[in-house]
């Protein structure tokens, strides 16, 4: 009987040799997770940055007394196929899309400058949003974005921001808006099913400095991604630097640096 | 339909061979099954000496009519081809448009190495004549791959494919010595390809061109063959 066991042991040990790897394992690359989450959050942030800088440019345009200069500024920042119309307590910007569909942005300014009274901005062009801008006692402005749609996600954001506007060129009306903001953004993607949403929550750990000329110049964000479909939860910190311009992504304690060639 | 005809043919050949072999067994004397070595012993030794001879020493192949073998094999081209019919269904969908949830899931998981156990076999043979034994041979081969998390390495999903066959096996022994026997064999049967969402059945042939077994009650064997059983086979067996 002992011989049987010995023979069996020999045969069983040969199974290890007979088994073979016919396809190598893929590389384990946690950086891809950080990059994927960052690229999604970055797209959301870019959209929100544009919303805020548009408001600042719009306010600045309204301050220009010279009609021709104002029209020029409007054309530069809001496009050639755009019309401005004064209506009620504010303005309507009508822009024609590439498919000749009108896209409306309503600026309800209550006849006061940004930072001096409450503004409401409503965008109706597919990815609709409504943003209420309320001046704060410390001079900053609170942007409460109650209905926000970005690509396949919907959610809300509350951001408190201050801004600087640098006139770069009086002839061409080029200007740079520099924002400094903090707060949180929460966007829910339900494309995997109503009951299995994917939520991306972004909150500022250090106030974010953003320039519409240079992109992100400083600050730190924490991006949390919760996927109910796959039952996963990932957290990525993004810290911005300006010289040289880069973003450091921290995922599970490991830092991955992403240099920006043309701004972040 | 072709599989049914094939299976019927296999069953017919199996039953015919068994009946023929059984008729031989009932009509032949036991002494006809004694090996050449045993005949030599009979002639050279006295009746007293023969009675003192241990049956285990003298009659290695006659005493044990049944044998059970467990073996493994190096696969041949046909088996590799069958193994490669495995398709990773989920990964195949990657070319389609994927939403962010799926993209993130792909980024946070990787495919581990694809490991293959091409062929393990279990074979039962019943000796009906000195030169012929009939039996049933089953083989199984499988391969597996898992999807794991890039950081924790936890398994999220495992993909497996199995090739299993069951065959009627005829073995023709053409060399007999005390400890050594050489043979050839032919098996006919069916093979099942089992994979989630893609399983099928097909007729299958297996042949051992040359096989050698070494040992008596417990023995080792090696074969060179073709078919679902692999090209180079080896294993252990027990006679009873």
């Amino acid at each position: 009987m002992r011989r049987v066991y010995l023979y069996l042991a020999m045969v069983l040990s040969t199974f290890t040799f007979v088994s073979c790897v016919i396809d190598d394992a893929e590389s384990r690359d946690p950086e891809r997770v950080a990059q994927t989450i960052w690229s999604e959050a970055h797209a959301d942030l870019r959209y929100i940055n544009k919303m805020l800088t548009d408001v600042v440019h719009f306010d600045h345009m309204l301050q220009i007394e010279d009609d021709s200069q104002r029209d020029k500024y409007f054309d530069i920042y809001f496009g050639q196929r755009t019309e401005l119309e004064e209506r009620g307590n504010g303005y309507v910007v009508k822009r024609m899309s590439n498919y000749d569909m009108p896209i409306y942005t309503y600026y309800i300014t209550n006849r006061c400058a940004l930072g001096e009274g409450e503004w409401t901005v409503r965008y109706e062009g597919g990815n609709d949003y409504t943003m209420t801008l309320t001046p704060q006692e410390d001079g900053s402005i609170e942007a409460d974005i109650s209905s926000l749609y970005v690509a396949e996600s919907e959610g809300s954001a509350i951001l408190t921001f201050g801004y600087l506007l640098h006139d770069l060129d009086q002839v061409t009306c080029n200007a740079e808006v520099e924002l400094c903001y903090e707060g949180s953004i929460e966007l829910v993607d339900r494309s995997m099913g109503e009951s299995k949403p994917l939520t991306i929550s972004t909150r500022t750990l250090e106030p974010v400095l953003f320039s519409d000329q240079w992109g992100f110049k400083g600050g730190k964000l924490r991006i949390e991604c919760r996927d109910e479909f796959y039952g996963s939860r990932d957290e990525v910190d993004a810290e911005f630097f300006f010289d040289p311009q880069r973003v450091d992504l921290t995922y599970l304690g490991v830092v991955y640096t992403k240099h920006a060639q043309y701004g972040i | 339909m072709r599989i049914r005809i094939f299976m019927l043919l296999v069953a017919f050949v199996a039953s015919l061979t068994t009946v023929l072999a059984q008729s031989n067994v009932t009509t032949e004397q036991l002494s006809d099954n004694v090996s050449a070595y045993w005949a030599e012993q009979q002639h050279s030794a006295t009746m007293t000496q023969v009675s003192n001879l241990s049956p285990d020493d003298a009659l290695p192949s006659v005493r044990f009519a049944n044998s059970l073998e467990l073996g493994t094999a190096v696969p041949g081209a046909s088996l590799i081809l069958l193994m490669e019919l495995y398709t990773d269904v989920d990964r195949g969908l990657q070319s389609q448009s994927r939403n962010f949830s799926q993209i993130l899931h792909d980024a946070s998981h990787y495919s581990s190495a694809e490991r293959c156990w091409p062929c393990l076999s279990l074979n039962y043979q019943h000796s009906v004549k000195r030169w012929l034994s009939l039996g049933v041979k089953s083989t199984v081969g499988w391969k597996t791959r898992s999807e794991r998390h890039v950081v924790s390495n936890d398994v999220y999903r495992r993909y497996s494919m199995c090739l299993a066959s069951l065959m009627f096996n005829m073995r023709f022994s053409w060399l007999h010595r005390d400890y050594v026997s050489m043979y050839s064999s032919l098996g006919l049967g069916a093979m099942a390809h089992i994979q989630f969402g893609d399983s099928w059945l097909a007729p299958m042939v297996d042949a051992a061109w040359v096989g050698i077994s070494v040992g008596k009650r417990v023995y080792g064997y090696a074969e060179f063959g073709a078919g679902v059983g692999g090209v180079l086979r080896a294993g252990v067996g027990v006679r009873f």
Side-chain angles (χ1 to χ4, degrees), chain A residues 33-34 37-38 221-224 234-238 249-251:
Chain A
V33 183
I37 292 173
W38 160 243
L221 295 167
R222 175 155 295 169
I223 308 155
E224 188 194 17
D234 296 287
E235 207 170 76
V236 175
D237 286 355
L249 303 175
T250 308
Y251 178 58

Side-chain angles (χ1 to χ4, degrees), chain A residues 7 19-20 22-23 26 227, chain B residues 99 101 111 114 116 145 150 218:
Chain A
Y7 275 116
S19 76
C20 53
I22 55 175
D23 197 2
E26 290 175 357
D227 189 346
Chain B
N99 60 25
S101 178
S111 285
E114 190 166 29
C116 178
R145 176 169 224 171
V150 286
V218 179

Side-chain angles (χ1 to χ4, degrees), chain A:
Chain A
M1 205 60 193
R2 200 172 58 180
R3 270 196 302 180
V4 176
Y5 290 134
L6 280 170
Y7 275 116
L8 278 175
M10 281 167 61
V11 169
L12 291 172
S13 64
T14 60
F15 290 169
T16 314
F17 296 108
V18 170
S19 76
C20 53
V21 172
I22 55 175
D23 197 2
D24 288 335
E26 290 175 357
S27 62
R28 291 171 67 175
D29 188 8
E31 186 179 355
R32 273 202 306 157
V33 183
Q35 293 280 11
T36 305
I37 292 173
W38 160 243
S39 65
E40 188 72 5
H42 188 215
D44 300 341
L45 288 165
R46 240 183 356 223
Y47 190 75
I48 288 170
N49 292 338
K50 180 81 168 65
M51 288 161 62
L52 298 179
T53 52
D54 273 359
V55 167
V56 176
H57 279 298
F58 191 79
D59 177 61
H60 184 66
M61 180 203 70
L62 295 177
Q63 313 301 321
I64 299 171
E65 292 178 353
D66 184 284
D67 286 351
S68 63
Q69 285 291 310
R70 190 168 60 236
D71 290 346
K72 198 171 180 182
Y73 197 94
F74 183 79
D75 284 346
I76 287 171
Y77 288 101
F78 296 91
Q80 296 289 333
R81 300 177 68 197
T82 310
E83 294 169 16
L84 179 65
E85 183 190 326
E86 197 170 338
R87 190 188 292 179
N89 285 338
Y91 302 86
V92 181
V93 175
K94 181 186 173 187
R95 183 169 67 84
M96 299 306 287
S97 74
N98 292 338
Y99 301 100
D100 278 339
M101 296 292 288
I103 297 167
Y104 296 98
T105 310
Y106 299 91
Y107 289 88
I108 302 162
T109 61
N110 296 311
R111 304 287 172 198
C112 54
L114 184 66
E116 290 175 4
E118 188 177 284
W119 278 32
T120 302
V121 181
R122 201 171 71 245
Y123 177 82
E124 291 177 1
N127 286 346
D128 299 0
Y129 65 80
T130 304
M131 177 165 61
T132 306
L133 299 155
T134 313
Q136 303 294 293
E137 285 180 358
D138 61 357
S140 63
I141 300 164
E142 186 187 84
D144 185 346
I145 310 169
S146 57
S147 59
L148 175 65
Y149 295 89
V150 185
E152 293 177 324
S153 303
E154 64 171 288
S156 60
I158 295 182
L159 298 166
T160 305
F161 71 96
Y163 67 90
L164 283 172
L165 198 136
H166 307 287
D167 283 329
L168 298 180
D169 192 330
Q170 293 294 333
V171 179
T172 59
C173 287
N174 273 336
E176 178 197 1
V177 171
E178 201 169 73
L179 296 170
C180 180
Y181 61 81
E182 55 187 332
S184 61
I185 306 157
E186 185 160 298
L187 286 160
V188 182
D189 182 342
R190 296 186 191 278
S191 58
M192 291 295 271
E194 277 294 310
S195 59
K196 304 280 186 187
L198 182 142
T199 308
I200 296 182
S201 306
T202 308
R203 64 187 171 89
T204 50
L205 299 178
E206 291 168 20
V208 168
L209 198 61
F210 174 81
S211 151
D212 62 356
Q213 294 283 323
W214 300 101
F216 289 99
K217 295 168 80 175
K220 193 173 181 180
L221 295 167
R222 175 155 295 169
I223 308 155
E224 188 194 17
C225 188
R226 294 189 307 278
D227 189 346
E228 301 291 336
F229 187 85
Y230 290 107
S232 66
R233 181 185 168 280
D234 296 287
E235 207 170 76
V236 175
D237 286 355
E239 189 169 9
F240 307 107
F241 300 92
F242 187 57
D243 191 17
Q245 198 173 21
R246 68 186 192 276
V247 56
D248 280 0
L249 303 175
T250 308
Y251 178 58
L252 295 168
V254 183
V255 180
Y256 306 100
T257 300
K258 186 178 163 64
H259 286 275
Q261 203 171 351
Y262 304 107
I264 302 167

Side-chain angles (χ1 to χ4, degrees), chain B residues 30-48:
Chain B
L30 180 65
S31 58
D32 293 342
N33 288 328
V34 176
S35 66
Y37 174 78
W38 171 239
E40 191 182 316
Q41 288 288 325
Q42 269 192 320
H43 287 101
S44 62
T46 64
M47 291 304 288
T48 316

